[in-house]
Structure formats: C-alpha cells, structure tokens
Amino acid sequence: MIDTLGYYLTHPDAVIYEVATALLYPVLIAEVIALLIVIFEAGRFTVEALGRVRKRSLGTIRTSGQSARDALADGKTEDALGHLGTALAHGRYGRRFVSLLSADTTSRTEFLKLLNDVELEAARRLERTRMLIRIGPMLGLMGTLIPISPALVGLAQGDVQTLSDNLVIAFSTTVVGLLIGGVAYAVSAIRDRLYTQDVSDIEYVLDLLEV
C-alpha cells in the first residue's frame, strides 16, 4: 500500500492516466443519456411543430386584439379572453399566456408579470437543448481521447485486438457526440425563433389592448 502510494506520488502522470481511464464508462453512460434526451427533445419539438399547422396571420392578430380591447372596454371579460385566444392561438406560448389570464387580470402590471412568466418558461424549455449543444461534443471528445491511451499501449505491445477495440470506441463516441450537438443546435435555433415570435405577438396584442 505504502509502495503504491509512493509510486503515485512520484509519478503524477500515472495518477492522471488512472483517472482518465476510470472516466471512460461514466463518459459513455453520460453520452448515452444525452443521446436519449436529445431524441426525446426532437420528438417533443416535432409534436410542437405539428401543433403550429395553423398559419400565423398578423391581420387576425390585429383584428382579434382590437375586438378584445373593445370587449374589455364594455366590461365583457369572457368575450375578451375568447378574442385573445383567437389572436394568439397559433403559438405555443401565446396559448400559454391566454391560459394564465383570468377575469381578475386587468392592469398592465399583471399582464406584464404573466408575460415575464411565459418568457421564463420558454427560456427553461430552451436550456436543455442549449446545454446539449456543448455537452454532446464535449462528451464525444472525452470519449475519443480516453481510449487513445490504451490503444497506443496495445499498439506498442503488438496487441491488435486492444488497439482496434479502443479505436472503435473512440470514433463511435465522436460521431454520437457530434450528432447530439447538431440535433440540439437545430432544435434550439428553431425553437428560439418560434418562441421569440410568440412573445412578440403577445407584446403586440398587449399594446392593442392599451392596458
């Protein structure tokens, strides 16, 4: 035990090698989990995109927003909520904003608070895929570099099987890591544009309401 400890104290490179080697399977497991998450998020995004088949129309938003303003002026809160639902029906977070409204929501401060809550929900939804944009390639790089050391050892010892096995792991993790990052980037970029449009439409409707 003492001899082993003394060896590692005098050979810090051996410590680094052991730590790096021990990280191989945790990295592979983490990459598989990241792959499952990005597949799940891609599926959620597909369902979400199909829910936007209704074409966005600025004219409809404007007309419905004006109708909601007139209904509020007449004290017809339920009718106003219905018009707002029509104005913002095309977007996920437009519908979410309308679902948070109630008959007691009348002041501009309350409307803006609900809008901020909706923006935070959209940001949280984007966080996961945005993280995977970086984490996927990072895990892929780690999964590539870690097996290189035992592969080189196998090459030096003439162990072709060890060399080939580790190279297969190295190149496979690279491909999967890049796949995770690429899919996560595509989902994040499109979601970001759609959610920004939703928030812009909500702000436009609030301006029409003059609250």
Side-chain angles (χ1 to χ4, degrees):
M1 180 66 179
I2 296 178
D3 292 340
T4 302
L5 179 61
Y7 174 78
Y8 283 125
L9 289 175
T10 56
H11 296 80
D13 56 316
V15 177
I16 299 299
Y17 175 78
E18 293 296 336
V19 171
T21 303
L23 285 175
L24 177 59
Y25 287 104
V27 167
L28 295 179
I29 293 171
E31 189 169 33
V32 171
I33 293 173
L35 178 62
L36 294 176
I37 292 174
V38 81
I39 291 173
F40 174 73
E41 288 296 328
R44 291 178 69 182
F45 169 72
T46 302
V47 173
E48 187 178 328
L50 292 175
R52 289 178 177 263
V53 292
R54 180 173 178 175
K55 185 176 180 181
R56 175 182 175 275
S57 170
L58 183 58
T60 300
I61 297 173
R62 180 172 57 250
T63 302
S64 298
Q66 291 169 344
S67 298
R69 178 191 60 197
D70 296 339
L72 280 176
D74 295 337
K76 301 177 180 178
T77 306
E78 293 299 327
D79 290 343
L81 291 176
H83 290 305
L84 288 176
T86 301
L88 302 171
H90 61 279
R92 172 186 177 84
Y93 285 99
R95 295 191 298 270
R96 175 59 177 159
F97 177 78
V98 174
S99 72
L100 295 174
L101 297 175
S102 66
D104 298 328
T105 309
T106 55
S107 69
R108 183 171 182 81
T109 300
E110 292 172 327
F111 277 108
L112 292 179
K113 172 56 179 170
L114 292 179
L115 175 57
N116 288 335
D117 290 345
V118 167
E119 288 181 300
L120 288 174
E121 285 187 22
R124 282 195 297 269
R125 196 175 183 87
L126 286 168
E127 281 176 358
R128 185 176 297 173
T129 48
R130 282 177 173 170
M131 290 175 62
L132 289 175
I133 294 173
R134 299 293 183 87
I135 292 176
M138 181 185 74
L139 292 173
L141 181 59
M142 292 178 67
T144 300
L145 296 178
I146 293 173
I148 293 297
S149 294
L152 293 176
V153 172
L155 177 63
Q157 296 176 349
D159 188 348
V160 178
Q161 186 63 47
T162 299
L163 173 65
S164 62
D165 289 345
N166 282 282
L167 289 181
V168 167
I169 295 174
F171 292 130
S172 298
T173 53
T174 301
V175 173
V176 173
L178 292 175
L179 175 65
I180 293 169
V183 174
Y185 175 79
V187 172
S188 295
I190 299 174
R191 272 181 171 171
D192 189 32
R193 175 177 58 81
L194 294 176
Y195 296 168
T196 300
Q197 184 68 72
D198 288 351
V199 172
S200 174
D201 290 342
I202 296 171
E203 292 174 341
Y204 176 64
V205 169
L206 291 183
D207 287 339
L208 290 175
L209 292 178
E210 298 177 350
V211 293

